[in-house]
Amino acid sequence: MQTELTRLLGIQAPIIQGGMAWVAEHTLAAAVSNAGGLGIIGAANAPAEWVREQIRLTKQLTDKPFGVNVMLMSPYAPEIAQVVAEEGVSVVTTGAGNPESYMALWKSKGIKVIPVVASVALAKRMERAGADAVVAEGCESGGHIGESTTMTLVPQVVDALNIPVIAAGGIADGRGLAAAFMLGACGVQMGTRFVATKECWAHQNYKDKILKAKDIDTKVTGRSTGHPVRALRNEMTKQYLDLEKKGATLEELEYLTLGGLRKAVVEGDVKNGSVMSGQIAGMIKEELTCKEVIENIVAEAAKLLEKGACYE
């Protein structure tokens, strides 16, 4: 399935794996790339040398293109930006900040730069700064979110830009990929769907929590702080939302979530940890390989597009 995205990145399927903190390491990234998509290493708040090691480990497992997600609020972001340039990855995706100060460095090394955006204004700024494409991420996604839905955000970003747009948020099957094409996107980014894969190293409790989720099982915490986060509801989200209602301070709220994602992903504490997940979790019922996920999605989307979905 060739699109503007596959041609830009030299991949087979128009599917990018999200750069999820604590989840997106070399094994998952390599598996997604080997399956025809674009695997991503999530740098998050990790030190630069960890990122360098992950890049080199990924290269041992795949000769296909892969990328690194640079979380720009990280104190290690400047060093990671340099490591990415030195190690010669194919793609950088960015979040939680403005990558403009690193653009020239990355572009000089032939690296494709794809910022994740949650608004038209930021998307236009990224195009002016030299981005090769953007990921327009709706609030259905897991983790840190914006306000607009994928259905409303993607077509507005598409209309505003001249570079490729990738849709993200609430996508886990071929219907989602086909819908993204209809909205004007040339591919999709998925996070939650790739957590529930056999190659993902996340604790089985985390995966099972996703597999058992219903459509209404995510909650958004942190709206009072201006940094909303979507996760599956548990004791932690209940306590957090109760504290928000009582007008708790930022320090009190941050203390409750300190190390929460690691608790869930690494330790398997899905009661007190932060089980970040998109709303699409309610549709994910089976743990598959990355190859099965990508092949199923592409086949389903192709079939829908060929027959015109619900049209005779």
Side-chain angles (χ1 to χ4, degrees), residues 41-98:
I41 298 164
N45 274 313
E49 286 310 306
W50 180 88
V51 177
R52 189 189 302 276
E53 179 187 35
Q54 289 295 306
I55 292 170
R56 293 179 178 180
L57 288 170
T58 305
K59 288 180 178 178
Q60 293 176 16
L61 297 176
T62 185
D63 59 358
K64 303 291 195 300
F66 66 91
V68 173
N69 175 263
V70 180
M71 203 271 283
L72 296 163
M73 285 181 63
S74 167
Y76 303 108
E79 293 91 341
I80 291 170
Q82 187 65 44
V83 164
V84 166
E86 291 169 358
E87 295 295 325
V89 300
S90 302
V91 182
V92 168
T93 63
T94 66
N98 188 334

Short mmCIF file of all heavy atoms in Angstrom, two decimals, residues 41-98:
data_model
loop_
_atom_site.label_atom_id
_atom_site.label_comp_id
_atom_site.label_asym_id
_atom_site.label_seq_id
_atom_site.Cartn_x
_atom_site.Cartn_y
_atom_site.Cartn_z
N ILE A 41 11.68 4.50 18.59
CA ILE A 41 12.21 4.42 19.96
C ILE A 41 11.74 5.66 20.71
O ILE A 41 11.94 6.78 20.24
CB ILE A 41 13.75 4.37 19.95
CG1 ILE A 41 14.25 3.13 19.22
CG2 ILE A 41 14.30 4.43 21.37
CD1 ILE A 41 15.72 3.21 18.83
N GLY A 42 11.13 5.47 21.87
CA GLY A 42 10.68 6.60 22.66
C GLY A 42 11.75 7.07 23.63
O GLY A 42 12.02 6.40 24.63
N ALA A 43 12.38 8.22 23.37
CA ALA A 43 13.45 8.69 24.23
C ALA A 43 12.93 9.16 25.59
O ALA A 43 13.60 9.00 26.61
CB ALA A 43 14.21 9.83 23.54
N ALA A 44 11.74 9.77 25.58
CA ALA A 44 11.10 10.25 26.82
C ALA A 44 12.10 11.04 27.67
O ALA A 44 12.78 11.92 27.17
CB ALA A 44 10.50 9.08 27.59
N ASN A 45 12.23 10.68 28.96
CA ASN A 45 13.16 11.37 29.86
C ASN A 45 14.45 10.60 30.06
O ASN A 45 15.20 10.87 31.02
CB ASN A 45 12.49 11.62 31.22
CG ASN A 45 11.67 12.90 31.24
OD1 ASN A 45 12.13 13.95 30.78
ND2 ASN A 45 10.46 12.81 31.72
N ALA A 46 14.72 9.64 29.19
CA ALA A 46 15.92 8.81 29.33
C ALA A 46 17.16 9.62 28.96
O ALA A 46 17.11 10.54 28.15
CB ALA A 46 15.82 7.58 28.43
N PRO A 47 18.32 9.26 29.55
CA PRO A 47 19.57 9.95 29.18
C PRO A 47 20.02 9.60 27.77
O PRO A 47 19.60 8.59 27.20
CB PRO A 47 20.57 9.43 30.22
CG PRO A 47 19.99 8.15 30.72
CD PRO A 47 18.51 8.30 30.63
N ALA A 48 20.87 10.43 27.22
CA ALA A 48 21.29 10.31 25.83
C ALA A 48 21.96 8.98 25.53
O ALA A 48 21.77 8.40 24.46
CB ALA A 48 22.21 11.47 25.46
N GLU A 49 22.78 8.48 26.44
CA GLU A 49 23.50 7.24 26.18
C GLU A 49 22.56 6.04 26.10
O GLU A 49 22.84 5.08 25.40
CB GLU A 49 24.60 7.02 27.21
CG GLU A 49 25.80 7.93 27.00
CD GLU A 49 26.30 7.93 25.56
OE1 GLU A 49 26.59 6.82 25.02
OE2 GLU A 49 26.41 9.01 24.96
N TRP A 50 21.45 6.09 26.85
CA TRP A 50 20.44 5.02 26.73
C TRP A 50 19.85 5.04 25.32
O TRP A 50 19.66 3.99 24.70
CB TRP A 50 19.34 5.21 27.76
CG TRP A 50 18.27 4.15 27.69
CD1 TRP A 50 18.26 2.94 28.32
CD2 TRP A 50 17.04 4.21 26.93
NE1 TRP A 50 17.12 2.24 28.01
CE2 TRP A 50 16.36 2.99 27.16
CE3 TRP A 50 16.47 5.15 26.08
CZ2 TRP A 50 15.12 2.70 26.57
CZ3 TRP A 50 15.23 4.87 25.49
CH2 TRP A 50 14.58 3.66 25.74
N VAL A 51 19.58 6.23 24.81
CA VAL A 51 19.03 6.36 23.46
C VAL A 51 20.02 5.84 22.44
O VAL A 51 19.66 5.12 21.50
CB VAL A 51 18.63 7.82 23.17
CG1 VAL A 51 18.12 7.96 21.74
CG2 VAL A 51 17.57 8.30 24.16
N ARG A 52 21.30 6.18 22.61
CA ARG A 52 22.33 5.70 21.69
C ARG A 52 22.36 4.16 21.68
O ARG A 52 22.43 3.53 20.62
CB ARG A 52 23.70 6.24 22.09
CG ARG A 52 24.78 5.97 21.04
CD ARG A 52 26.17 6.33 21.54
NE ARG A 52 26.30 7.72 21.94
CZ ARG A 52 26.55 8.72 21.09
NH1 ARG A 52 26.68 8.46 19.79
NH2 ARG A 52 26.68 9.96 21.53
N GLU A 53 22.30 3.58 22.86
CA GLU A 53 22.32 2.12 22.97
C GLU A 53 21.11 1.50 22.28
O GLU A 53 21.22 0.50 21.56
CB GLU A 53 22.34 1.70 24.44
CG GLU A 53 22.32 0.18 24.64
CD GLU A 53 22.17 -0.20 26.09
OE1 GLU A 53 21.46 0.51 26.84
OE2 GLU A 53 22.76 -1.23 26.48
N GLN A 54 19.94 2.12 22.47
CA GLN A 54 18.71 1.61 21.86
C GLN A 54 18.78 1.68 20.33
O GLN A 54 18.33 0.77 19.64
CB GLN A 54 17.50 2.40 22.37
CG GLN A 54 17.14 2.13 23.82
CD GLN A 54 16.67 0.72 24.04
OE1 GLN A 54 15.75 0.23 23.37
NE2 GLN A 54 17.29 0.01 24.97
N ILE A 55 19.35 2.75 19.81
CA ILE A 55 19.51 2.89 18.36
C ILE A 55 20.39 1.77 17.82
O ILE A 55 20.07 1.11 16.82
CB ILE A 55 20.10 4.27 18.00
CG1 ILE A 55 19.09 5.38 18.31
CG2 ILE A 55 20.50 4.30 16.53
CD1 ILE A 55 19.67 6.78 18.23
N ARG A 56 21.49 1.52 18.49
CA ARG A 56 22.42 0.49 18.03
C ARG A 56 21.83 -0.91 18.15
O ARG A 56 22.05 -1.77 17.28
CB ARG A 56 23.74 0.61 18.80
CG ARG A 56 24.47 1.90 18.46
CD ARG A 56 25.77 2.07 19.22
NE ARG A 56 26.46 3.30 18.82
CZ ARG A 56 27.62 3.71 19.31
NH1 ARG A 56 28.25 2.98 20.23
NH2 ARG A 56 28.17 4.84 18.87
N LEU A 57 21.06 -1.15 19.21
CA LEU A 57 20.39 -2.45 19.37
C LEU A 57 19.33 -2.65 18.28
O LEU A 57 19.16 -3.76 17.76
CB LEU A 57 19.76 -2.55 20.75
CG LEU A 57 20.73 -2.72 21.92
CD1 LEU A 57 19.99 -2.55 23.25
CD2 LEU A 57 21.42 -4.07 21.86
N THR A 58 18.63 -1.58 17.92
CA THR A 58 17.62 -1.67 16.86
C THR A 58 18.28 -2.02 15.53
O THR A 58 17.77 -2.85 14.77
CB THR A 58 16.84 -0.35 16.74
OG1 THR A 58 16.29 0.00 18.01
CG2 THR A 58 15.71 -0.47 15.72
N LYS A 59 19.43 -1.41 15.27
CA LYS A 59 20.15 -1.69 14.02
C LYS A 59 20.60 -3.14 13.92
O LYS A 59 20.77 -3.68 12.83
CB LYS A 59 21.34 -0.76 13.88
CG LYS A 59 20.96 0.68 13.56
CD LYS A 59 22.20 1.56 13.45
CE LYS A 59 21.83 2.99 13.07
NZ LYS A 59 23.02 3.86 12.99
N GLN A 60 20.79 -3.78 15.07
CA GLN A 60 21.16 -5.20 15.07
C GLN A 60 19.97 -6.09 14.69
O GLN A 60 20.16 -7.22 14.25
CB GLN A 60 21.68 -5.61 16.45
CG GLN A 60 23.02 -4.97 16.82
CD GLN A 60 23.44 -5.33 18.23
OE1 GLN A 60 22.93 -6.27 18.84
NE2 GLN A 60 24.40 -4.59 18.77
N LEU A 61 18.75 -5.57 14.87
CA LEU A 61 17.55 -6.37 14.65
C LEU A 61 16.85 -6.06 13.33
O LEU A 61 15.99 -6.83 12.89
CB LEU A 61 16.56 -6.16 15.80
CG LEU A 61 17.04 -6.60 17.19
CD1 LEU A 61 15.98 -6.26 18.24
CD2 LEU A 61 17.34 -8.10 17.21
N THR A 62 17.19 -4.93 12.70
CA THR A 62 16.53 -4.59 11.44
C THR A 62 17.45 -3.74 10.57
O THR A 62 18.26 -2.97 11.08
CB THR A 62 15.22 -3.82 11.69
OG1 THR A 62 14.55 -3.60 10.43
CG2 THR A 62 15.45 -2.46 12.35
N ASP A 63 17.29 -3.91 9.26
CA ASP A 63 17.99 -3.03 8.31
C ASP A 63 16.99 -2.08 7.66
O ASP A 63 17.31 -1.40 6.69
CB ASP A 63 18.72 -3.85 7.25
CG ASP A 63 17.79 -4.76 6.46
OD1 ASP A 63 16.56 -4.80 6.75
OD2 ASP A 63 18.28 -5.46 5.54
N LYS A 64 15.79 -2.03 8.20
CA LYS A 64 14.74 -1.16 7.68
C LYS A 64 14.78 0.20 8.38
O LYS A 64 15.37 0.35 9.45
CB LYS A 64 13.37 -1.81 7.92
CG LYS A 64 13.20 -3.20 7.33
CD LYS A 64 13.17 -3.14 5.81
CE LYS A 64 12.63 -4.43 5.21
NZ LYS A 64 13.43 -5.63 5.57
N PRO A 65 14.13 1.22 7.79
CA PRO A 65 14.08 2.53 8.43
C PRO A 65 13.37 2.47 9.78
O PRO A 65 12.41 1.72 9.96
CB PRO A 65 13.27 3.39 7.44
CG PRO A 65 13.42 2.68 6.13
CD PRO A 65 13.48 1.22 6.46
N PHE A 66 13.86 3.25 10.75
CA PHE A 66 13.19 3.41 12.03
C PHE A 66 13.50 4.81 12.54
O PHE A 66 14.33 5.52 11.98
CB PHE A 66 13.62 2.34 13.04
CG PHE A 66 15.07 2.43 13.48
CD1 PHE A 66 15.43 3.17 14.60
CD2 PHE A 66 16.07 1.78 12.77
CE1 PHE A 66 16.75 3.26 15.00
CE2 PHE A 66 17.40 1.86 13.16
CZ PHE A 66 17.74 2.61 14.28
N GLY A 67 12.85 5.20 13.61
CA GLY A 67 13.03 6.56 14.11
C GLY A 67 13.15 6.63 15.61
O GLY A 67 13.08 5.63 16.32
N VAL A 68 13.33 7.86 16.09
CA VAL A 68 13.39 8.16 17.52
C VAL A 68 12.42 9.29 17.81
O VAL A 68 12.37 10.28 17.07
CB VAL A 68 14.81 8.57 17.96
CG1 VAL A 68 14.81 9.05 19.42
CG2 VAL A 68 15.79 7.43 17.78
N ASN A 69 11.63 9.13 18.87
CA ASN A 69 10.77 10.23 19.32
C ASN A 69 11.52 11.00 20.39
O ASN A 69 11.92 10.45 21.41
CB ASN A 69 9.45 9.69 19.88
CG ASN A 69 8.59 10.81 20.46
OD1 ASN A 69 8.60 11.05 21.65
ND2 ASN A 69 7.87 11.49 19.59
N VAL A 70 11.72 12.30 20.15
CA VAL A 70 12.42 13.17 21.09
C VAL A 70 11.39 14.00 21.85
O VAL A 70 10.65 14.78 21.26
CB VAL A 70 13.41 14.09 20.37
CG1 VAL A 70 14.13 14.99 21.38
CG2 VAL A 70 14.43 13.28 19.58
N MET A 71 11.33 13.78 23.15
CA MET A 71 10.44 14.54 24.02
C MET A 71 11.18 15.81 24.42
O MET A 71 12.12 15.78 25.21
CB MET A 71 10.06 13.71 25.25
CG MET A 71 8.76 14.17 25.89
SD MET A 71 9.02 15.42 27.14
CE MET A 71 9.62 14.41 28.49
N LEU A 72 10.77 16.93 23.85
CA LEU A 72 11.57 18.15 23.91
C LEU A 72 11.62 18.80 25.28
O LEU A 72 12.47 19.65 25.55
CB LEU A 72 11.07 19.14 22.86
CG LEU A 72 11.26 18.63 21.42
CD1 LEU A 72 10.39 19.42 20.45
CD2 LEU A 72 12.72 18.69 21.00
N MET A 73 10.73 18.40 26.19
CA MET A 73 10.77 18.92 27.56
C MET A 73 11.80 18.18 28.42
O MET A 73 12.09 18.58 29.53
CB MET A 73 9.39 18.81 28.21
CG MET A 73 8.38 19.82 27.72
SD MET A 73 6.78 19.65 28.55
CE MET A 73 7.22 20.01 30.24
N SER A 74 12.34 17.10 27.89
CA SER A 74 13.34 16.34 28.63
C SER A 74 14.59 17.18 28.88
O SER A 74 15.05 17.88 27.99
CB SER A 74 13.73 15.08 27.85
OG SER A 74 14.89 14.48 28.40
N PRO A 75 15.17 17.07 30.07
CA PRO A 75 16.43 17.79 30.33
C PRO A 75 17.57 17.29 29.45
O PRO A 75 18.59 17.97 29.30
CB PRO A 75 16.70 17.52 31.81
CG PRO A 75 15.94 16.27 32.12
CD PRO A 75 14.72 16.32 31.26
N TYR A 76 17.40 16.09 28.88
CA TYR A 76 18.44 15.50 28.03
C TYR A 76 18.22 15.79 26.54
O TYR A 76 18.98 15.30 25.71
CB TYR A 76 18.49 13.99 28.24
CG TYR A 76 18.72 13.56 29.67
CD1 TYR A 76 17.70 13.00 30.41
CD2 TYR A 76 19.96 13.73 30.28
CE1 TYR A 76 17.90 12.61 31.73
CE2 TYR A 76 20.17 13.34 31.59
CZ TYR A 76 19.14 12.78 32.31
OH TYR A 76 19.35 12.39 33.62
N ALA A 77 17.19 16.56 26.21
CA ALA A 77 16.83 16.77 24.80
C ALA A 77 18.00 17.27 23.94
O ALA A 77 18.21 16.75 22.84
CB ALA A 77 15.64 17.71 24.69
N PRO A 78 18.80 18.24 24.38
CA PRO A 78 19.92 18.70 23.53
C PRO A 78 20.91 17.59 23.22
O PRO A 78 21.38 17.46 22.08
CB PRO A 78 20.55 19.81 24.37
CG PRO A 78 19.47 20.30 25.26
CD PRO A 78 18.67 19.08 25.59
N GLU A 79 21.24 16.78 24.23
CA GLU A 79 22.18 15.68 24.01
C GLU A 79 21.58 14.60 23.12
O GLU A 79 22.26 14.04 22.26
CB GLU A 79 22.60 15.07 25.35
CG GLU A 79 23.43 16.00 26.21
CD GLU A 79 22.59 16.84 27.16
OE1 GLU A 79 21.38 16.98 26.92
OE2 GLU A 79 23.17 17.38 28.13
N ILE A 80 20.28 14.33 23.32
CA ILE A 80 19.62 13.31 22.50
C ILE A 80 19.55 13.76 21.04
O ILE A 80 19.75 12.97 20.12
CB ILE A 80 18.20 13.01 23.05
CG1 ILE A 80 18.33 12.30 24.40
CG2 ILE A 80 17.39 12.16 22.07
CD1 ILE A 80 17.02 12.16 25.15
N ALA A 81 19.30 15.04 20.83
CA ALA A 81 19.26 15.58 19.47
C ALA A 81 20.59 15.32 18.76
O ALA A 81 20.62 14.97 17.57
CB ALA A 81 18.95 17.07 19.50
N GLN A 82 21.68 15.48 19.49
CA GLN A 82 23.01 15.25 18.92
C GLN A 82 23.25 13.77 18.66
O GLN A 82 23.80 13.39 17.61
CB GLN A 82 24.08 15.80 19.87
CG GLN A 82 25.48 15.79 19.30
CD GLN A 82 25.64 16.71 18.10
OE1 GLN A 82 25.16 17.84 18.10
NE2 GLN A 82 26.30 16.21 17.06
N VAL A 83 22.84 12.92 19.59
CA VAL A 83 23.00 11.47 19.43
C VAL A 83 22.25 10.97 18.20
O VAL A 83 22.77 10.18 17.41
CB VAL A 83 22.51 10.73 20.70
CG1 VAL A 83 22.31 9.24 20.41
CG2 VAL A 83 23.50 10.92 21.83
N VAL A 84 21.04 11.46 18.04
CA VAL A 84 20.23 11.07 16.88
C VAL A 84 20.95 11.42 15.58
O VAL A 84 20.98 10.63 14.63
CB VAL A 84 18.84 11.76 16.95
CG1 VAL A 84 18.11 11.66 15.62
CG2 VAL A 84 17.99 11.15 18.06
N ALA A 85 21.55 12.59 15.55
CA ALA A 85 22.28 13.01 14.35
C ALA A 85 23.52 12.14 14.13
O ALA A 85 23.83 11.76 13.00
CB ALA A 85 22.67 14.48 14.48
N GLU A 86 24.22 11.84 15.20
CA GLU A 86 25.45 11.06 15.10
C GLU A 86 25.19 9.61 14.68
O GLU A 86 25.98 9.02 13.94
CB GLU A 86 26.19 11.06 16.45
CG GLU A 86 26.76 12.41 16.83
CD GLU A 86 27.25 12.44 18.27
OE1 GLU A 86 27.11 11.42 18.98
OE2 GLU A 86 27.77 13.49 18.68
N GLU A 87 24.09 9.05 15.17
CA GLU A 87 23.81 7.63 14.93
C GLU A 87 23.08 7.37 13.61
O GLU A 87 22.90 6.23 13.21
CB GLU A 87 23.01 7.05 16.09
CG GLU A 87 23.78 7.02 17.41
CD GLU A 87 24.98 6.09 17.37
OE1 GLU A 87 24.91 5.04 16.70
OE2 GLU A 87 26.01 6.42 18.00
N GLY A 88 22.63 8.41 12.96
CA GLY A 88 22.06 8.27 11.62
C GLY A 88 20.75 7.53 11.53
O GLY A 88 20.60 6.62 10.71
N VAL A 89 19.78 7.90 12.37
CA VAL A 89 18.45 7.30 12.24
C VAL A 89 17.74 7.93 11.04
O VAL A 89 18.14 8.99 10.54
CB VAL A 89 17.61 7.49 13.52
CG1 VAL A 89 18.28 6.83 14.71
CG2 VAL A 89 17.35 8.96 13.80
N SER A 90 16.70 7.28 10.58
CA SER A 90 16.00 7.76 9.38
C SER A 90 15.04 8.91 9.66
O SER A 90 14.88 9.82 8.84
CB SER A 90 15.21 6.60 8.76
OG SER A 90 16.04 5.53 8.42
N VAL A 91 14.40 8.84 10.84
CA VAL A 91 13.30 9.76 11.13
C VAL A 91 13.36 10.20 12.59
O VAL A 91 13.74 9.42 13.47
CB VAL A 91 11.93 9.08 10.89
CG1 VAL A 91 10.78 10.05 11.16
CG2 VAL A 91 11.84 8.52 9.48
N VAL A 92 12.98 11.44 12.85
CA VAL A 92 12.75 11.92 14.21
C VAL A 92 11.32 12.41 14.31
O VAL A 92 10.87 13.20 13.46
CB VAL A 92 13.71 13.07 14.58
CG1 VAL A 92 13.26 13.75 15.88
CG2 VAL A 92 15.12 12.57 14.73
N THR A 93 10.59 11.92 15.30
CA THR A 93 9.31 12.53 15.64
C THR A 93 9.53 13.29 16.94
O THR A 93 10.40 12.96 17.73
CB THR A 93 8.19 11.48 15.81
OG1 THR A 93 8.49 10.60 16.91
CG2 THR A 93 8.00 10.67 14.54
N THR A 94 8.76 14.36 17.13
CA THR A 94 8.95 15.19 18.32
C THR A 94 7.63 15.46 19.01
O THR A 94 6.57 15.45 18.39
CB THR A 94 9.63 16.53 17.98
OG1 THR A 94 8.73 17.32 17.17
CG2 THR A 94 10.94 16.33 17.25
N GLY A 95 7.72 15.73 20.31
CA GLY A 95 6.54 16.10 21.07
C GLY A 95 6.94 16.95 22.26
O GLY A 95 8.11 17.07 22.61
N ALA A 96 5.93 17.57 22.88
CA ALA A 96 6.12 18.36 24.11
C ALA A 96 7.14 19.47 23.94
O ALA A 96 8.05 19.64 24.76
CB ALA A 96 6.50 17.44 25.28
N GLY A 97 6.99 20.23 22.87
CA GLY A 97 7.91 21.34 22.67
C GLY A 97 8.09 21.70 21.21
O GLY A 97 7.41 21.16 20.33
N ASN A 98 9.01 22.62 20.97
CA ASN A 98 9.27 23.12 19.62
C ASN A 98 10.65 22.65 19.16
O ASN A 98 11.67 23.00 19.76
CB ASN A 98 9.22 24.66 19.64
CG ASN A 98 9.30 25.26 18.26
OD1 ASN A 98 9.84 24.66 17.34
ND2 ASN A 98 8.77 26.46 18.10
#
